[in-house]
Amino acid sequence: MNQAKRVEILSRLREQNPNPTTELEFSTPFELLVAVTLSAQATDVSVNKATRKLYPVANTPEAIYALGVDGLKEYIKTIGLYNSKANNVIKACKILIDKHNSQVPEDRAALEALPGVGRKTANVVLNTAFGWPTIAVDTHIFRVSNRTKLAAGKDVVAVEEKLLKVVPAEFKVDVHHWLILHGRYICVARKPKCGACIIEDLCEFKDKTEI
């Protein structure tokens, strides 16, 4: 795929959705950090259902830490892997309280040092909470990038590096959200909805569908 085609793809996605954001519900960087941690191998819908009950009761490191692991589990037990996630969130709260004055650090290394926070989660927080031009590659972005040939790569890190290289600066802050939403609703895994796709004529996927 040439660069002119990439720019046209991104321009169309921007025109369709000028101010994209995550579908996770949050009002502070800490709420976002917890929501993204809970969203691993779970849907945003399931996380939002849980946090709508949790955040009115506890939405700071101190308040969630005070719940304890068992208390937190009561709010998130409908989410997959809730046992390990509860342990990670409580440990992360303790580190935020002890080392970061209860604030989410705007620093990749400090974020990745938190239990349950890997590169993807750190990228989401840096991008969505702090406006960094980072690109968190999840399964949707990996699929869309490879299927369209926007940024092909054999693994998520390779795709992230390619996207950072080929996506112009003006699109970098928002491209993460555009590609996730496109993968979630149009370029779906089993049978992409090519007939409803605004970039179908630019996409280099060989097995396009009529739908």
Side-chain angles (χ1 to χ4, degrees), residues 2-201:
N2 61 46
Q3 194 64 1
K5 196 182 280 190
R6 289 191 181 99
V7 170
E8 178 61 21
I9 285 173
L10 296 169
S11 296
R12 289 187 194 179
L13 293 173
R14 178 172 63 186
E15 185 177 350
Q16 183 187 52
N17 188 0
N19 300 295
T21 189
T22 178
E23 292 188 320
L24 291 169
E25 296 169 1
F26 73 99
S27 57
T28 65
F30 176 70
E31 287 186 359
L32 177 65
L33 175 66
V34 172
V36 179
T37 302
L38 295 177
S39 73
Q41 296 180 320
T43 65
D44 288 0
V45 171
S46 69
V47 173
N48 289 338
K49 283 182 181 177
T51 58
R52 282 174 200 156
K53 296 176 182 177
L54 171 64
Y55 289 160
V57 175
N59 70 339
T60 66
E62 290 87 354
I64 288 184
Y65 186 72
L67 290 175
V69 172
D70 289 337
L72 178 57
K73 283 181 186 178
E74 286 303 306
Y75 290 95
I76 68 169
K77 61 187 178 184
T78 53
I79 301 172
L81 307 176
Y82 73 93
N83 284 308
S84 61
K85 289 175 181 178
N87 278 296
N88 285 335
V89 169
I90 293 298
K91 288 175 183 174
C93 286
K94 186 73 165 72
I95 293 171
L96 292 175
I97 294 166
D98 291 347
K99 294 187 177 181
H100 301 291
N101 197 29
S102 298
Q103 300 299 307
V104 175
E106 190 177 343
D107 177 86
R108 178 184 298 283
L111 285 169
E112 290 189 22
L114 297 171
V117 178
R119 182 178 184 84
K120 185 182 80 172
T121 298
N123 275 336
V124 173
V125 172
L126 291 170
N127 174 270
T128 305
F130 299 115
W132 283 32
T134 58
I135 302 172
V137 178
D138 69 350
T139 55
H140 295 301
I141 294 180
F142 183 77
R143 179 175 66 256
V144 172
S145 297
N146 276 290
R147 189 181 269 167
T148 62
K149 302 297 188 287
L150 179 71
K154 67 183 188 300
D155 54 43
V156 293
V157 174
V159 169
E160 179 186 334
E161 290 173 349
K162 185 69 178 287
L163 285 168
L164 288 170
K165 182 179 178 182
V166 302
V167 172
E170 65 178 298
F171 301 110
K172 273 207 174 98
V173 171
D174 292 327
V175 67
H176 159 82
H177 300 299
W178 290 325
L179 296 181
I180 280 182
L181 294 171
H182 194 67
R184 187 172 287 165
Y185 297 111
I186 301 295
C187 197
V188 294
R190 291 190 177 178
K191 194 172 184 181
K193 302 171 184 178
C194 299
C197 178
I198 61 168
I199 61 169
E200 182 186 11
D201 57 314

